[in-house]
Amino acid sequence: MGIVNVTPDSFSDGGQFLSHEAAIQHAVKLVEQGADIIDVGGESTRPKAVPVSEKEELERVMPVIEALAGRIKVPISIDTLKPAIARAALRAGASIVNDVGANRTDDAMWRIVAETGAGYVLMHMQGTPQTMQLNPVYQDVAGEVEDFFKERLGRLKSAGVQFERVVLDVGIGFGKTLEHNLQLLAGLGRFTNLERPLLLGVSRKSFISKLLGVAAAERLPAALACTVLAAQAGVQMFRTHDVSATVQALRMAEAMAAHK
Ligand code: 8Y7
């Protein structure tokens, strides 16, 4: 899953892809590099990011989705917390909702997913993007994330979302300390018991610099290490800025596994 941010406040892309044309071209390039899904987002969910209005978010993402729908052959996912944005994006040709706000209490998003038959990424987050990194606390982070998945899978079913449409994501960095992230990464295998595909996002995330003391621009080697080990633990999808490098790492790991 290649990341296309259409946001001026995103940390890694820093306004680089604000122009719709640049975002579209970036998406096309990621598909050429081997992305199987393009994830388009118009609101940064990085820690302390400022929320954007529905109108602003629509203006950011819709021209990009409309253009990509006629141009790329891989599915488009919409990264949004807002049901109205998801609905508009699905109408315009997106087919997956990447809902990092899956801990919501109202089920408007789920009803849209149910009605449209869209794919749905159920990601765990403790708190909200504004508050999540202030003081995340767990007794047993992997156990609590697993309980969250089970509870939400039940509620999704009640909302009419088919089990087969759902992908699970532990939400690295979303209300988690370095220690929590490492415990989740080390324990990814347990989530395969839930019998849904797993998605993981470690690309350029700050926990890498917290562990290694490297600059933000130097996080790729550690992200690739996480990716390969996570693939061996059963993760099937990776959300990344660095599609070419990620595809190479996964292909090499697959070739080695095939020669065992
Ligand atoms: C993730 C994500 C972000 C993630 C899923 C960033 C939108 C922060 N991270 N979606 N989104 N999983 N499913 O650093 O880990 O890219 S935004």
Side-chain angles (χ1 to χ4, degrees):
M1 176 186 272
I3 301 171
V4 174
N5 287 320
V6 200
T7 59
D9 60 341
S10 162
F11 151 96
S12 300
D13 293 325
Q16 210 182 330
F17 297 110
L18 223 199
S19 114
H20 296 134
E21 193 46 41
I24 294 159
Q25 273 166 28
H26 187 59
V28 169
K29 188 178 89 187
L30 296 182
V31 173
E32 284 166 6
Q33 290 178 1
D36 293 318
I37 298 174
I38 291 296
D39 189 40
V40 178
E43 176 177 46
S44 174
T45 38
R46 293 219 161 249
K48 294 183 241 152
V50 184
V52 299
S53 70
E54 202 166 285
K55 180 168 172 288
E56 168 74 16
E57 196 174 335
L58 277 174
E59 282 167 7
R60 290 182 188 181
V61 297
M62 292 309 292
V64 174
I65 291 173
E66 281 160 8
L68 289 178
R71 201 155 152 191
I72 60 175
K73 294 207 162 58
V74 303
I76 299 165
S77 69
I78 174 69
D79 156 21
T80 188
L81 299 166
K82 299 188 185 75
I85 305 289
R87 187 186 289 286
L90 293 170
R91 275 206 192 115
S95 55
I96 301 167
V97 177
N98 179 20
D99 183 11
V100 305
N103 52 355
R104 69 186 61 252
T105 44
D106 101 71
D107 65 357
M109 185 72 102
W110 300 343
R111 289 200 310 273
I112 291 165
V113 174
E115 280 165 26
T116 56
Y120 182 74
V121 180
L122 172 64
M123 197 200 76
H124 178 272
M125 166 164 60
Q126 186 179 86
T128 66
Q130 287 70 45
T131 63
M132 65 189 182
Q133 289 307 103
L134 295 179
N135 183 29
V137 177
Y138 302 84
Q139 299 298 317
D140 162 19
V141 64
E144 287 171 48
V145 171
E146 185 172 346
D147 290 345
F148 165 84
F149 286 151
K150 287 183 182 151
E151 192 263 348
R152 285 299 185 280
L153 282 167
R155 281 175 54 188
L156 280 158
K157 194 174 167 204
S158 311
V161 177
Q162 283 182 0
F163 186 68
E164 289 74 19
R165 301 273 104 190
V166 183
V167 168
L168 307 176
D169 184 337
V170 298
I172 294 296
F174 284 86
K176 282 118 188 161
T177 62
L178 170 60
E179 180 62 30
H180 297 140
N181 290 321
L182 291 172
Q183 283 177 20
L184 285 169
L185 288 168
L188 283 168
R190 75 187 283 161
F191 302 108
T192 60
N193 297 340
L194 298 170
E195 300 189 332
R196 298 311 312 135
L198 303 177
L199 169 65
L200 185 71
V202 292
S203 181
R204 302 188 187 173
K205 289 198 174 171
S206 64
F207 78 99
I208 294 172
S209 291
K210 282 191 192 110
L211 180 73
L212 302 174
V214 295
E218 306 296 328
R219 293 171 180 166
L220 179 58
L224 295 178
C226 292
T227 298
V228 168
L229 290 169
Q232 280 173 359
V235 176
Q236 287 155 307
M237 304 165 75
F238 297 90
R239 182 179 178 277
T240 181
H241 302 85
D242 301 295
V243 170
S244 177
T246 300
V247 168
Q248 288 177 46
L250 289 169
R251 287 220 183 112
M252 182 57 75
E254 272 168 26
M256 287 172 66
H259 284 77
K260 273 219 175 109

